Amino acid sequence: MQTRTLGTTGPQTSALGLGCMGMSALYGDSDRAESIATIHAALDAGVTLLDTGDFYGMGHNELLINEALRTAPTAAREQAQISVKFGALRTVEGGFTGYDGRPNAVKNFAAYSLQRLGVDHIDVYRIARIDPDVPIEETVGAIAELVQAGHVRHIGLSEVGAESLRRAAAVAPISDLQIEYSLISRGIEDAILPTARELGIGITAYGVLSRGLISGHFSRDRKLAANDFRGMSPRFQGENLARNLDLVEALRKTAEQKGISVAQTAIAWVLSRGKDIVPLVGARRRDRLTEALGALDVTLNADDLAAIEHAVPADAAAGDRYPAEQMAHLDSEH
């Protein structure tokens, strides 16, 4: 397994990480046994970074990872690194009601995560979205105290803009910024990515397949479950979906010329953007994981990159990456 380092102060991880959210929430029903088998397969392949959130299924995802690690071979379990997002407030019905970044809340969230995960430390800990009522310095300061106490190894951030990145980094070392980055979500290239690089902060890129939209497996007539987030996502609606899938078909032609899949092309493109970027793949099944891991064997030369850019130009996506009410919570978009 190829490795990369999260920033100048973060850990060395596998070059691809496994995003586990879809195993518990937001993409319709999932198969528990297959989810655990997929985590085991990822660990067996040398994937070390497992990404979760305490609000994914209101604790379900952390408990799932706990079970997967408990039933994995000792060597695989010991190499696992867990990245946890916290702070999202949920309702019994599954709604989101805001974010809590108060220092006491940070430590409370961490205590529950450690218990559910069955571990004595969290490798990377980050608030999912900035709490607008709490200065980022206070939230990061609380995580820094958890680091000092040995409960957390590294401090991460999620979906923050360049200014907030600077403010946070002035308080304590930041290992990485987790943020959406893909062929059709390239907003970080303007200011956020250059700032992260200036500060020595790595990137863990989620949404590299744009929630399956640019995986090559999504079709215009696909029926989504009522509990599938994509049913509310602007990029999956009506004419937006048609336009975005046209981009996928253009990308498919480039992928076929290269002899690889659309998903492998999209993941390899993110991998090519810099050694300081670790893509997270949200595979829920072993076959999808195997396909994603194949991207590590792909080398994109200048002609390949030019063809990909031609097929999917920057800013070509139709629709925002989240519904309006969720876009409002993204510091990275302001």
Side-chain angles (χ1 to χ4, degrees):
M1 172 58 66
Q2 301 168 29
T3 61
R4 294 187 171 186
T5 301
L6 297 183
T8 56
T9 64
Q12 184 180 78
T13 75
S14 50
L16 284 181
L18 181 64
C20 300
M21 181 186 75
M23 298 176 180
S24 297
L26 299 178
Y27 291 126
D29 296 335
S30 59
D31 183 316
R32 187 180 188 86
E34 181 62 23
S35 295
I36 290 173
T38 301
I39 294 174
H40 285 169
L43 293 170
D44 185 60
V47 173
T48 60
L49 185 62
L50 305 178
D51 184 76
T52 185
D54 63 10
F55 52 94
Y56 292 167
M58 283 73 91
H60 179 279
N61 204 237
E62 290 180 322
L63 292 169
L64 182 77
I65 290 173
N66 180 332
E67 182 177 349
L69 293 179
R70 280 191 292 107
T71 54
T74 301
R77 182 169 65 250
E78 291 177 348
Q79 75 179 1
Q81 300 162 307
I82 305 175
S83 166
V84 178
K85 289 180 291 299
F86 68 88
L89 304 177
R90 306 292 302 271
T91 66
V92 174
E93 294 75 23
F96 287 85
T97 60
Y99 297 89
D100 193 343
R102 295 171 300 162
N104 282 342
V106 172
K107 295 171 184 177
N108 177 76
F109 287 131
Y112 280 84
S113 283
L114 288 166
Q115 180 67 26
R116 284 188 294 260
L117 289 164
V119 297
D120 62 7
H121 70 272
I122 296 167
D123 293 281
V124 187
Y125 202 49
R126 69 186 88 239
I127 191 165
R129 303 286 187 268
I130 289 179
D131 181 344
D133 298 322
V134 178
I136 187 64
E137 291 87 348
E138 293 185 15
T139 302
V140 169
I143 306 176
E145 292 179 9
L146 290 169
V147 172
Q148 292 169 359
H151 304 310
V152 168
R153 293 279 171 84
H154 303 281
I155 304 171
L157 294 168
S158 175
E159 287 289 356
V160 306
E163 179 184 351
S164 297
L165 204 56
R166 291 187 186 280
R167 289 171 54 192
V171 175
I174 306 297
S175 68
D176 67 303
L177 168 63
Q178 188 173 122
I179 196 163
E180 187 166 355
Y181 188 39
S182 72
L183 271 169
I184 64 171
S185 296
R186 296 177 61 173
I188 73 169
E189 294 176 347
D190 295 332
I192 295 173
L193 182 55
T195 301
R197 285 176 167 162
E198 175 192 336
L199 297 171
I201 297 172
I203 299 291
T204 40
Y206 77 87
V208 294
L209 298 179
S210 198
R211 299 163 184 82
L213 181 59
I214 59 172
S215 67
H217 302 299
F218 203 91
S219 62
R220 284 174 169 80
D221 57 357
R222 180 169 174 178
K223 302 298 183 184
L224 296 173
N227 58 345
D228 193 319
F229 160 82
R230 292 170 293 189
M232 299 181 295
S233 173
R235 290 184 175 173
F236 288 83
Q237 305 303 311
E239 184 58 30
N240 286 349
L241 177 61
R243 289 170 57 190
N244 290 329
L245 289 180
D246 285 343
L247 295 175
V248 175
E249 290 312 304
L251 185 62
R252 192 185 304 277
K253 294 177 183 178
T254 300
E256 289 174 349
Q257 291 174 356
K258 186 76 173 174
I260 57 179
S261 74
V262 174
Q264 288 169 340
T265 306
I267 296 167
W269 181 88
V270 178
L271 283 164
S272 77
R273 306 311 283 180
K275 296 294 185 182
D276 53 349
I277 298 174
V278 175
L280 301 173
V281 295
R284 299 193 292 171
R285 299 180 349 218
R286 284 167 286 181
D287 58 338
R288 294 285 192 255
L289 173 68
T290 298
E291 180 183 24
L293 291 172
L296 293 168
D297 298 323
V298 175
T299 299
L300 299 176
N301 60 33
D303 289 341
D304 296 327
L305 292 170
I308 292 169
E309 292 275 356
H310 180 75
V312 187
D315 301 319
D320 288 332
R321 54 195 182 99
Y322 285 98
E325 62 272 17
Q326 294 184 34
M327 288 290 288
H329 288 293
L330 298 177
D331 182 73
S332 54
E333 294 288 339
H334 303 306

